[in-house]
Amino acid sequence: MNLEIIKQISTKTNTKILFLVIDGLGGLRHPDVGMSELEAAKIPNLDRLARTGTTGLTIPVAPGITPGSGPGHLALFGYDPIQFQIGRGILEAIGLGMRIPPGGIAGRGNFCSLDGNGKIIDRRAGRLKTEENQKLIKDLSSINLKKGSVQLQSGKEHRFALVFEPEPGSTFSENITDSDPQKTGVLPNSVTPLSKDAAETADIVQDFLTKAQGILKNSESANGLLIRGFSDKPDLPSISDLYKLNSACIAAYPMYRGLAELLGMHIEQTGEDMESEIQTLKDIWDKHDFFFIHYKPTDGKGEDGDFPGKVKALEELDKLIPLLLDLDPDVMVIAGDHSTPSVLSGHSWHPVPFIIKSNISQSGDTEKFTEQESRKGALGTIKATDLMSIALAHAGKLNKFGA
Amino acid sequence: MNLEIIKQISTKTNTKILFLVIDGLGGLRHPDVGMSELEAAKIPNLDRLARTGTTGLTIPVAPGITPGSGPGHLALFGYDPIQFQIGRGILEAIGLGMRIPPGGIAGRGNFCSLDGNGKIIDRRAGRLKTEENQKLIKDLSSINLKKGSVQLQSGKEHRFALVFEPEPGSTFSENITDSDPQKTGVLPNSVTPLSKDAAETADIVQDFLTKAQGILKNSESANGLLIRGFSDKPDLPSISDLYKLNSACIAAYPMYRGLAELLGMHIEQTGEDMESEIQTLKDIWDKHDFFFIHYKPTDGKGEDGDFPGKVKALEELDKLIPLLLDLDPDVMVIAGDHSTPSVLSGHSWHPVPFIIKSNISQSGDTEKFTEQESRKGALGTIKATDLMSIALAHAGKLNKFGA
C-alpha cells in the first residue's frame, strides 16, 4: 500500500495492537508425515483464533522470492522491502546488537589468513574459535581513527561487524569499495572511494585497516582481516510518523531489536525466552499502543530441518497464547516473516498464514491454523505489506479515504 | 515481479524446468453441456498432477484484458506485456516464420485493389487466393532497394509481411508512417519519417513501394499494396541474462518460435505435431535446463468454436503427459497463455489454470485440472508474470533476497 496515503489517513486512537511475529511460521508437508508442521501441531488456542478471526496468507516480498529476515520483517510492518533495502553491513551489525549512530556506516568483517607476501590463503582463517575472535577484537579496539571512532563486535568463528561513527555533525559515506576481494591467492583490496564525497571516509577506513593489519600480523592463523558490505543507516520513515503509533519492540534476539529500532520502535529490555518477553509485555502494556513481540524458535527448528522440533516450538507457543489474550488487545495479529519449512532446512517463498483477531473480525471457512486452511480465510492471499494497514483498520486507526 | 531483483538473485543450477504451454487452455462452461472443456475432458494424467502439484490461476495481462499470443507468452516467461510491447509488424513477420536481422524493421502488408486514379477500392483485393498472393510476392522479390535488402513472405489471402534489412552496421528506423490509410476512396499514403533519423528509411521504403506499385499495376484485381505497423525488434532482456537459464523452444508453429527467439531461447527444429515435439524434447534433454514446449490445437479448436474438438485436443494431450513425466524434470509447469473458450470462438481475459509439479510442491484442495478446481490450489489467482519466478523458486534457482 502507498505509505503516503496511509500517513495521510492514519489517526491516533486509544486502541492497542498486539503484533506477534512467529519467525519462519509457514511450512511444507513432510513426505513421511503427510502433514505440515502447523498441521501436525496440537495448537488449540491458535486454531480457535483462526476459526473466529480473519485469516489469510501473506506473500512476504513477491511470488517465488525467498526473503531474508530483514525484508520479511519490513514487509510485515508495511515497508516494501524492494523499495527499502537495508545494507548488508547494517544488518550484520544490528544482528550482533550494535547501534548505528547518525552518519555512521557499518561493515561485515572476516578474520583471514595471509601468506608471507600478504596474499589471502583462507578467507575464514580456518573458522577460528569464537573465543580467539573475541580476543583479537579486544586488541583491535585500541585503534584510534584519524577522525571519528570505530566499534567492533565479534560474531561466531571468523565473523565480526564494525561500525564507524563520525565526529558530531559529520557523516561517513557508504560509497567505498570492499577490502575483501572474496577470493584467495590475491592481496586484500585497498578501500577506495566510489564517489567524490567518500574520499575522506575511504582514507579513514583504509588507515584503520592498515593499523589493524599491523596489530594482527603476528597472530598465528588469523593474521589478517577483510571487510565488505559497507552501508549506512537506511532512510526509513518511522512507524510513529507513518501510523501515529507509540510502538514497542519485545524481542529476545538482537537482529529483530535492531530492525525495530531502524523503524523507530521503542526497544524494551527483555529476557531470553518467550515467557520473559510476555512478562515484559505485561509490564509495559499501559505505555504503548503497538507491540511487536517476536518468537524465534520456529525459525531455528525449521532451519535445522527439525520437523518434530518445529512442531514442538509451535505447541509451546500455543500454550502461551492465553497469556497474550488476557491482556485484551483490541487487535491481535499473528503472522510470520516468511516460511521456514523443515523439509527445506531454510527460508522459503511460500505464502505465510496469518490471523487478525478483533471485535470486528470477519471469519471465513478456516477450521485450523494451517497453510491450507488459512487460504480459506476472509482475506485470502495478500501481500505482506498490506497486513499493517489491515491491522490499523481493525483498530480503527485509519480514517476514510476521500469524501 | 521486478526483473532487476530476479536477475540479481537468480543462480545457475543443474535442475531442469519443463514448461508446457497449452495454447488457449482456459475455457467456459458450454450452456448445453453445463461444463467447460476442461471439465468435460477425460484427462486423468493432468488431474493427478493437479491433485499432487501446486495449482492456481494466472491473469495473463490484467483483469478483463484479453491478450494476443505475444503478450500471453511474454507474461508466462516473466516479461510484463505492458512494459514490453512487440510491434505489429514484428509479430506478423515472426508469425510467418521470418527472422528479424539486427537493425531491421518489419511491416504488415495487404494486396489491395486500386481504381484508374490510384484510389483504393478494396483494401483486401477481394481476399485474393493465397496462391495468387504467392505469385505476386515472387514478382516483388526481384526489387532492389536503394540500400539494404527486403524479404517478403506470403500469408493467407491478401496478407503478407515484409522485413527490411539494412546494410551491415546500419539501422533502419521504425519511426515512419504507414502507407495504408485504412480506408477506401483515397490514395495510399506516402511513407514519411516521424523523426529526423528516419528520413533515409522512409525514402528507401517509399522507393520500394513505388517500384512494387509499378510491378503490380497490370495485375487483375490485386493491383496495389498497402503497408502498416512498421516496427523494429523489441529490446527484450534475454532469458539467459535474467534467469541464467540455457533455454530451448520446441514449437511447431512459427509464431511461437519467433517469440522465443526474441527472448533469446535456442530454437529447436521439430515436426508438425505434439509427438514430434516430444521426440525433439527427448533428443535435446541433456543439452538445456529450461524447455518451452508448445501445444497449439486447444487454441485452434477454441477459436473455431468447436467445444468437442477442444475437449478432444485436451484428451489427446493428456495421453502424452506420461512421456513428459518420463523425462523426470525437476519442475514441470503446465500453463496457458490465455483462455480460448469455444463458446466465445476467440481469446478471452479469463484466468487460466496452471500446475507446478516438483518435489516441494504444496498441494491445495484441487481435485481436478479445471478452472474452478484450480482456484482452490495453494497459489490461488496470480499474475502470469509471477509464474516464472515461482517456477525458478521450485527449481532452487533463486537465492534469498536480503539477509
Side-chain angles (χ1 to χ4, degrees):
Chain A
M1 183 47 202
N2 185 314
L3 288 179
E4 268 313 303
I5 300 287
I6 297 290
K7 187 175 169 179
Q8 281 169 32
I9 62 174
S10 64
T11 183
K12 188 96 192 153
T13 69
N14 289 325
T15 52
K16 287 179 193 283
I17 300 174
L18 176 52
F19 202 114
L20 167 62
V21 176
I22 307 177
D23 208 300
L25 170 60
L28 284 174
R29 290 186 177 155
H30 193 290
D32 299 343
V33 185
M35 288 188 277
S36 73
E37 299 90 331
L38 277 168
E39 287 170 342
K42 291 195 180 62
I43 46 173
N45 293 303
L46 289 166
D47 287 345
R48 191 175 317 113
L49 286 171
R51 271 196 303 280
T52 55
T54 301
T55 60
L57 294 164
T58 52
I59 296 175
V61 176
I65 307 303
T66 296
S69 297
H73 277 81
L74 282 185
L76 286 180
F77 298 126
Y79 297 76
D80 177 356
I82 290 173
Q83 183 186 349
F84 299 106
Q85 296 192 30
I86 302 180
R88 301 301 298 253
I90 295 289
L91 273 175
E92 192 76 10
I94 66 177
L96 293 175
M98 304 177 80
R99 302 192 56 158
I100 317 298
I105 57 169
R108 312 165 75 186
N110 278 13
F111 288 111
C112 68
S113 306
L114 306 177
D115 69 14
N117 298 317
K119 289 184 177 167
I120 303 164
I121 308 167
D122 181 344
R123 283 185 58 251
R124 299 178 183 85
R127 295 191 179 270
L128 84 163
K129 288 203 175 117
T130 303
E131 301 78 55
E132 180 67 13
N133 174 327
Q134 288 165 343
K135 208 184 111 322
L136 294 175
I137 287 294
K138 211 167 181 184
D139 295 344
L140 296 183
S141 297
S142 63
I143 297 173
N144 288 316
L145 299 189
K146 284 183 173 178
K147 269 188 192 178
S149 61
V150 62
Q151 274 78 45
L152 296 113
Q153 178 70 48
S154 292
K156 286 193 179 148
E157 300 174 340
H158 53 282
R159 301 176 189 90
F160 63 92
L162 67 185
V163 173
F164 292 88
E165 177 168 5
E167 292 180 337
S170 173
T171 304
F172 282 137
S173 169
E174 65 175 359
N175 291 326
I176 57 177
T177 60
D178 294 348
S179 84
D180 187 350
Q182 306 215 28
K183 56 184 173 188
T184 55
V186 297
L187 297 170
N189 291 326
S190 291
V191 171
T192 56
L194 292 167
S195 62
K196 238 180 187 170
D197 61 353
E200 191 181 48
T201 304
D203 178 54
I204 290 168
V205 172
Q206 183 55 47
D207 174 64
F208 163 82
L209 288 174
T210 307
K211 290 170 178 165
Q213 193 56 59
I215 291 173
L216 295 173
K217 68 168 188 276
N218 297 320
S219 298
E220 205 159 315
S221 69
N223 63 347
L225 79 172
L226 300 168
I227 315 288
R228 66 189 197 277
F230 289 106
S231 45
D232 59 17
K233 206 167 173 169
D235 190 17
L236 294 161
S238 83
I239 287 235
S240 56
D241 260 16
L242 289 176
Y243 308 132
K244 304 181 183 72
L245 293 172
N246 174 5
S247 57
C249 158
I250 306 172
Y253 276 62
M255 160 73 93
Y256 309 97
R257 292 198 297 269
L259 281 168
E261 192 172 358
L262 292 178
L263 306 182
M265 290 193 203
H266 187 263
I267 310 302
E268 306 292 340
Q269 294 300 318
T270 191
E272 293 288 309
D273 57 20
M274 193 64 184
E275 284 83 355
S276 311
E277 289 191 14
I278 293 176
Q279 186 55 54
T280 306
L281 179 66
K282 285 182 184 170
D283 295 344
I284 62 157
W285 187 250
D286 291 338
K287 293 194 208 151
H288 299 273
D289 52 21
F290 182 88
F291 306 85
F292 157 40
I293 184 165
H294 183 260
Y295 185 66
K296 178 73 178 170
T298 32
D299 181 58
K301 297 297 178 187
E303 293 257 17
D304 293 344
D306 180 354
F307 186 94
K310 189 170 171 194
V311 169
K312 190 154 171 262
L314 289 165
E315 292 177 343
E316 284 171 357
L317 175 64
D318 189 75
K319 293 198 188 94
L320 301 173
I321 294 292
L323 300 179
L324 297 176
L325 296 176
D326 282 349
L327 291 165
D328 198 22
D330 297 283
V331 177
M332 167 114 201
V333 181
I334 299 172
D337 52 344
H338 51 74
S339 294
T340 308
S342 46
V343 293
L344 293 178
S345 298
H347 294 192
S348 84
W349 67 90
H350 297 90
V352 192
F354 70 85
I355 305 170
I356 298 181
K357 180 69 178 119
S358 79
N359 282 339
I360 54 161
S361 283
Q362 191 178 28
S363 57
D365 296 320
T366 303
E367 292 292 330
K368 266 184 66 61
F369 189 47
T370 67
E371 296 81 5
Q372 188 153 341
E373 289 287 320
S374 297
R375 246 190 354 258
K376 304 176 191 166
L379 283 169
T381 302
I382 62 171
K383 290 189 210 166
T385 46
D386 287 332
L387 192 63
M388 190 70 188
S389 329
I390 298 171
L392 293 167
H394 276 82
K397 291 183 191 291
L398 291 183
N399 290 326
K400 187 158 68 176
F401 172 66
Chain B
M1 183 48 201
N2 185 317
L3 287 180
E4 267 313 303
I5 300 287
I6 297 289
K7 188 175 169 178
Q8 279 171 34
I9 62 176
S10 64
T11 184
K12 186 98 192 151
T13 70
N14 290 326
T15 52
K16 288 178 192 280
I17 300 175
L18 176 52
F19 203 114
L20 167 62
V21 177
I22 307 178
D23 207 300
L25 171 60
L28 285 173
R29 289 187 177 155
H30 193 290
D32 298 343
V33 185
M35 288 188 278
S36 73
E37 298 90 331
L38 277 167
E39 287 169 341
K42 291 196 179 61
I43 46 174
N45 294 302
L46 289 165
D47 287 345
R48 190 174 318 113
L49 287 171
R51 271 196 304 281
T52 56
T54 301
T55 60
L57 294 164
T58 52
I59 297 176
V61 177
I65 308 301
T66 297
S69 297
H73 277 80
L74 282 184
L76 286 180
F77 298 126
Y79 298 75
D80 177 355
I82 291 174
Q83 184 187 347
F84 299 105
Q85 297 194 26
I86 302 179
R88 301 301 300 255
I90 295 290
L91 273 176
E92 191 77 10
I94 66 178
L96 294 175
M98 302 177 81
R99 301 194 57 157
I100 317 298
I105 57 170
R108 314 166 73 185
N110 278 13
F111 289 111
C112 68
S113 306
L114 306 177
D115 68 13
N117 298 317
K119 288 184 177 167
I120 303 164
I121 308 168
D122 181 344
R123 283 185 58 251
R124 298 177 183 86
R127 294 190 180 271
L128 85 162
K129 287 201 176 121
T130 302
E131 300 78 53
E132 179 69 11
N133 173 328
Q134 287 165 343
K135 208 182 109 330
L136 294 175
I137 287 293
K138 212 168 182 182
D139 294 345
L140 297 183
S141 296
S142 62
I143 297 173
N144 289 315
L145 298 189
K146 283 183 174 179
K147 271 188 189 178
S149 61
V150 62
Q151 274 78 44
L152 297 112
Q153 179 69 47
S154 293
K156 286 193 178 149
E157 300 173 338
H158 53 282
R159 301 177 189 89
F160 63 92
L162 67 186
V163 172
F164 291 88
E165 178 169 4
E167 291 179 337
S170 174
T171 304
F172 282 138
S173 169
E174 65 175 358
N175 291 325
I176 56 176
T177 59
D178 294 348
S179 85
D180 187 350
Q182 305 214 30
K183 57 184 173 186
T184 55
V186 297
L187 296 170
N189 291 327
S190 290
V191 171
T192 57
L194 290 167
S195 64
K196 239 180 185 169
D197 61 353
E200 191 181 48
T201 304
D203 178 53
I204 290 169
V205 172
Q206 184 55 47
D207 173 64
F208 164 80
L209 287 174
T210 306
K211 289 170 178 165
Q213 194 55 59
I215 291 173
L216 295 173
K217 69 169 189 273
N218 298 321
S219 299
E220 206 159 316
S221 69
N223 63 345
L225 80 172
L226 300 169
I227 315 290
R228 66 189 196 278
F230 288 105
S231 45
D232 59 17
K233 209 166 170 168
D235 190 17
L236 293 162
S238 83
I239 287 233
S240 57
D241 259 17
L242 289 176
Y243 308 132
K244 304 180 185 74
L245 292 173
N246 174 5
S247 57
C249 159
I250 306 173
Y253 276 61
M255 159 73 93
Y256 308 98
R257 292 198 295 268
L259 280 167
E261 193 172 356
L262 292 178
L263 305 182
M265 290 193 204
H266 187 263
I267 309 303
E268 305 293 338
Q269 294 300 319
T270 190
E272 293 287 310
D273 57 20
M274 193 65 184
E275 285 83 354
S276 313
E277 289 190 15
I278 293 176
Q279 186 54 53
T280 306
L281 178 67
K282 285 182 185 170
D283 294 344
I284 62 156
W285 186 249
D286 291 339
K287 293 193 207 150
H288 300 274
D289 51 22
F290 182 88
F291 306 85
F292 156 41
I293 184 165
H294 183 261
Y295 185 67
K296 178 72 179 169
T298 32
D299 181 58
K301 296 298 177 186
E303 292 257 17
D304 293 344
D306 180 355
F307 185 95
K310 189 171 171 192
V311 169
K312 191 155 170 260
L314 288 165
E315 292 177 344
E316 284 171 358
L317 174 64
D318 189 75
K319 293 198 187 95
L320 301 173
I321 293 292
L323 300 179
L324 297 175
L325 295 176
D326 281 349
L327 291 165
D328 199 23
D330 297 283
V331 177
M332 166 114 201
V333 181
I334 299 172
D337 53 344
H338 51 74
S339 294
T340 309
S342 46
V343 293
L344 294 177
S345 298
H347 295 191
S348 83
W349 66 90
H350 298 89
V352 191
F354 69 85
I355 304 169
I356 297 182
K357 181 67 178 122
S358 79
N359 282 339
I360 53 162
S361 284
Q362 192 178 28
S363 56
D365 296 319
T366 303
E367 293 293 330
K368 266 184 65 62
F369 189 48
T370 67
E371 296 81 4
Q372 186 154 343
E373 288 287 320
S374 297
R375 249 196 342 265
K376 304 178 193 165
L379 283 169
T381 302
I382 63 170
K383 291 189 213 169
T385 46
D386 287 330
L387 191 63
M388 189 72 187
S389 328
I390 297 170
L392 292 166
H394 277 81
K397 290 183 191 289
L398 292 183
N399 289 326
K400 189 157 68 173
F401 172 66

